Amino acid sequence: MTIFMNARRNTHKVQVGNVFIGGNAPVVVQSMTNTDTADRASTIKQVLELARAGSEIVRVTVNNEDAAREVPYIVEALQKQNCHVPLVGDFHYNGHRLLADFPDCAKALGKYRINPGNVGFADKRDTQFAQMIECAITHDKPVRIGVNWGSLDGQVIARMMDENARLKEPKSAEEVSRAALVFSALSSAKQAEEIGLAADRIVISCKVSRVQDLILLYRDLAKSCSYALHLGLTEAGMGSKGIVASTAALAPLLMEGIGDTIRISLTPEPGGDRTKEVLVAQEILQTIGMRSFAPMVTACPGCGRTTSTYFQELAGKIQSFLRTQMPVWKTQYTGVEDMNVAVMGCIVNGPGESKHANIGISLPGTGESPVAPVFVDGRKTATLRGEHIAEEFQQMIVDYIEKKYEIRT
């Protein structure tokens, strides 16, 4: 699948465990647990769920001694279950001490995430930042220097605001704040390199919660460095708001070639499925044509011609079936993730859309003949009737995959 987009920007390639970020590597999908990392069982369970959903890197909170103590055991348990997804330790305030006091944690993690605004204050900031970078060098670990709007170093923003106020034509507060984020990230990265961390061991992020600010900020950041960039709209929100905001922010940047790894920071419903953020990240990348993760289902929205809900139910069943089977199919068949399936609701667009898909079905609308033509690679090959259309069409998809796609060797 290809679309019109600018070439990916030239960045350093950073290795995180068995995953590569930047360079010519595909854009990587990340996620983060919301369990108490000290709760070994629940953290292992959620990491497995996220990895099985397709998260290629998973971040965990390391905020106290109990969490740091558990990290090596969590990694070991995951590996025993054949899960080798790299874990990123998220450190704030006391990361320098935890990494020093728990070397097995420092060794087990695939990457460290450091927030320059929370690494230390006043004269302790540089010392504690240096301690964390030195630990990364000792254990040969990459580092994400992650600056956040809500925790930007107060001294940096105050100084830049003062300097701006003295200008003949001062910039807006938003412009200065964005510049302060970029300055904080790049100066911290430069400091890390001066300590001895190689540029290809550094990933940078500058996260804000407003779409327009994120786009402008990352455009400036991309022009200013060749570090690998992590994209994400921080505190994106719940439900459709979080999905829409994240898509509106990330899609333009990705299509401009900006961004090497992404995370969708959705707020889940109480007890909600954490893997939703993985699915949204995958669907953004697949929809804009950058990667393929699972067959896409094209389905019409319905109208007065489709008073029956059958086509909606069938579309849901087929999409769920494809998602469930995909982990198995990807290990068996080459290219199956690029398949397109159409489930349409009436004669207006049904046959046409079905012909454009690899395999598609056009269900009867209100008042239409109760038959459902099936199209395979643009040709009508069957007409389904009766109560078992869903099961028959599902089997036709399986048959199509077995005939169409090469078996992996």
Side-chain angles (χ1 to χ4, degrees), residues 275-302:
T275 62
K276 184 72 173 286
E277 66 178 53
V278 179
L279 177 61
V280 173
Q282 290 178 333
E283 290 185 341
I284 290 173
L285 291 172
Q286 185 152 347
T287 300
I288 65 175
M290 295 198 76
R291 290 187 66 180
S292 294
F293 297 94
M296 296 287 281
V297 176
T298 300
C300 68

Side-chain angles (χ1 to χ4, degrees), residues 29-334:
V29 172
Q30 297 196 32
S31 61
M32 185 175 184
T33 59
N34 62 353
T35 59
D36 180 355
T37 307
D39 183 344
R40 188 188 306 182
S42 63
T43 301
I44 291 168
K45 179 177 181 293
Q46 193 170 85
V47 172
L48 285 170
E49 290 170 351
L50 291 166
R52 288 166 181 163
S55 183
E56 293 157 307
I57 295 175
V58 177
R59 184 156 47 113
V60 298
T61 298
V62 187
N63 58 331
N64 54 42
E65 293 183 356
D66 290 337
R69 191 177 290 111
E70 286 297 329
V71 166
Y73 298 106
I74 292 168
V75 171
E76 182 181 17
L78 291 169
Q79 292 177 347
K80 285 181 178 178
Q81 297 189 59
N82 200 32
C83 177
H84 300 281
V85 62
L87 295 189
V88 178
D90 193 54
F91 295 99
H92 297 273
Y93 308 111
N94 57 357
H96 62 291
R97 182 174 58 79
L98 293 175
L99 287 170
D101 292 349
F102 295 90
D104 287 346
C105 170
K107 183 178 179 181
L109 289 168
K111 183 174 69 170
Y112 310 153
R113 189 272 181 145
I114 303 173
N115 183 341
N118 290 340
V119 76
F121 303 102
D123 57 341
K124 292 183 178 180
R125 185 240 178 236
D126 289 347
T127 299
Q128 292 174 182
F129 179 82
Q131 288 173 350
M132 297 184 74
I133 297 300
E134 287 164 357
C135 186
I137 295 169
T138 297
H139 295 284
D140 192 23
K141 303 295 180 181
V143 168
R144 171 155 74 93
I145 295 173
V147 182
N148 272 46
W149 192 288
S151 54
L152 183 60
D153 188 325
Q155 291 180 324
V156 171
I157 189 66
R159 176 175 56 78
M160 294 185 71
M161 285 290 186
D162 288 343
E163 291 173 353
N164 181 65
R166 291 193 291 269
L167 295 176
K168 187 174 294 186
E169 296 182 8
K171 298 178 181 178
S172 69
E174 288 78 12
E175 287 179 285
V176 178
S177 295
R178 290 196 299 267
L181 283 163
V182 172
F183 173 82
S184 178
L186 295 183
S187 62
S188 295
K190 180 180 179 182
Q191 183 181 358
E193 286 199 67
E194 290 171 349
I195 294 168
L197 189 66
D200 63 1
R201 305 302 275 160
I202 298 172
V203 179
I204 285 182
S205 67
C206 290
K207 290 192 175 184
V208 295
S209 55
R210 293 204 296 256
V211 171
Q212 297 89 339
D213 286 315
L214 191 87
I215 293 172
L216 293 171
L217 196 159
Y218 269 87
R219 285 173 177 165
D220 289 342
L221 190 60
K223 293 175 185 176
S224 304
C225 72
S226 57
Y227 297 114
L229 299 183
H230 172 96
L231 289 187
L233 191 71
T234 192
E235 295 121 15
M238 299 181 71
S240 60
K241 185 271 179 184
I243 295 170
V244 171
S246 293
T247 305
L250 270 58
L253 291 168
L254 290 166
M255 294 177 72
E256 292 174 18
I258 299 170
D260 303 290
T261 178
I262 65 172
R263 188 225 166 174
I264 308 302
S265 300
L266 295 181
T267 303
E269 300 287 344
D273 189 353
R274 191 68 169 178
T275 62
K276 184 72 173 286
E277 66 178 53
V278 179
L279 177 61
V280 173
Q282 290 178 333
E283 290 185 341
I284 290 173
L285 291 172
Q286 185 152 347
T287 300
I288 65 175
M290 295 198 76
R291 290 187 66 180
S292 294
F293 297 94
M296 296 287 281
V297 176
T298 300
C300 68
C303 66
R305 291 176 174 269
T306 56
T307 52
S308 168
T309 61
Y310 186 71
F311 85 93
Q312 299 162 331
E313 295 164 1
L314 178 58
K317 284 181 181 178
I318 295 301
Q319 184 155 289
S320 177
F321 171 70
L322 295 174
R323 280 271 169 196
T324 301
Q325 292 297 116
M326 198 58 217
V328 177
W329 287 340
K330 283 185 77 170
T331 64
Q332 296 176 334
Y333 303 100
T334 301

Side-chain angles (χ1 to χ4, degrees), residues 327-344:
V328 177
W329 287 340
K330 283 185 77 170
T331 64
Q332 296 176 334
Y333 303 100
T334 301
V336 67
E337 61 272 17
D338 293 318
M339 183 173 67
N340 186 268
V341 179
V343 180
M344 303 300 293

